[in-house]
Amino acid sequence: AFVICMDKNVAFVICMDSDMLLVKPFMHILELLQQLQVDIAFSYYDGTRRVPWGSTDEVAFTKKGYVRLQGGLLIMRNSIDAIQWFATWKSLTEVTLFHKENEDQLGQRWRDLLEEFKGPSQAALAFLLTQGEVEIMKNATACCSSRRTIELESLRKGGEPFQVAMLGLPSQYLNDAESTEDGLLPSTAHIVHLKGTWWRNVLPEGHLE
């Protein structure tokens, strides 16, 4: 990503897991992010994805009612501020893993976040997105579907605090990891995340029509 960011002709850097499959082009989504002046785009469940194993609310929310985030894909603007955001997120993910072992209030808080968001990177993303006010994650409009601006301390020596604009994209568009009711990919899927038992069963049979 750092090598790509040296190219000023690149507008966005896309970071994704290795178990993801491109289904169809999504340049129109990048154009939308450009128009909205978004620096960081992430995936979340918006309550519309239907699955055979549960209700739409069970898919979209954690046990405590937080909006579920889907890890594995980030779209970052090709800028120094976005790279600093990424470094901050990475550091916070490491902090999550370190503090979860502590037998104190801080350790319990991180353990609770890990339990809710099912992973250190997603817990760190929720914390960073809300600037520590995680209760905001109970409101999809406030946390995800609207452009949200956060302020971070610069990682550069003598640098000034800077702002980053974040926006959630419904996971069924660029990060669809769920099983389907009829075995067919939804028309909304542009990138699918090949994880879980359903995909392990489907892929060997080649049933992707």
Side-chain angles (χ1 to χ4, degrees):
F2 286 95
V3 175
I4 295 175
C5 279
M6 298 300 292
D7 186 346
K8 295 182 179 179
N9 294 316
V10 175
F12 291 99
V13 176
I14 302 173
C15 302
M16 67 175 70
D17 286 356
S18 59
D19 60 345
M20 302 187 81
L21 177 67
L22 178 63
V23 177
K24 55 187 175 183
F26 54 94
M27 185 60 70
H28 59 291
I29 297 178
L30 299 181
E31 292 172 352
L32 174 64
L33 296 178
Q34 186 80 299
Q35 292 170 10
L36 297 177
Q37 298 183 318
V38 173
D39 298 302
I40 305 292
F42 58 93
S43 303
Y44 78 103
Y45 287 86
D46 68 349
T48 63
R49 180 65 160 84
R50 304 183 71 87
V51 297
W53 54 262
S55 69
T56 53
D57 280 351
E58 287 176 303
V59 177
F61 298 99
T62 69
K63 291 181 180 179
K64 292 185 178 179
Y66 298 126
V67 174
R68 279 185 62 205
L69 301 175
Q70 174 66 290
L73 182 139
L74 283 173
I75 301 177
M76 304 189 303
R77 181 174 294 279
N78 183 7
S79 69
I80 295 298
D81 287 348
I83 290 297
Q84 288 193 89
W85 178 93
F86 185 87
T88 301
W89 173 60
K90 176 179 179 294
S91 177
L92 192 56
T93 300
E94 294 170 348
V95 166
T96 303
L97 290 170
F98 176 78
H99 282 295
K100 74 182 181 71
E101 304 298 335
N102 294 349
E103 296 298 329
D104 56 14
Q105 188 174 1
L106 181 60
Q108 186 59 54
R109 184 182 190 188
W110 284 117
R111 284 192 293 275
D112 289 344
L113 286 177
L114 283 168
E115 175 65 23
E116 286 298 298
F117 293 102
K118 306 302 181 185
S121 62
Q122 291 166 184
L125 177 58
F127 189 88
L128 187 57
L129 174 64
T130 62
Q131 303 275 260
E133 298 180 24
V134 185
E135 290 301 302
I136 293 173
M137 293 300 299
K138 292 184 176 180
N139 184 323
T141 302
C143 71
C144 301
S145 64
S146 297
R147 184 176 178 272
R148 181 172 177 80
T149 301
I150 65 171
E151 184 171 294
L152 298 174
E153 294 294 327
S154 176
L155 299 181
R156 294 184 290 179
K157 186 176 181 180
E160 296 292 326
F162 64 98
Q163 292 186 333
V164 171
M166 301 180 66
L167 179 68
L169 299 173
S171 61
Q172 64 262 33
Y173 289 94
L174 295 185
N175 195 356
D176 196 321
E178 300 300 328
S179 54
T180 63
E181 295 177 312
D182 57 6
L184 300 177
L185 290 176
S187 60
T188 53
H190 292 67
I191 298 176
V192 292
H193 200 159
L194 310 178
K195 66 178 186 179
T197 304
W198 190 77
W199 281 109
R200 286 195 290 272
N201 290 333
V202 170
L203 285 178
E205 301 297 329
H207 296 161
L208 288 178
E209 296 91 356

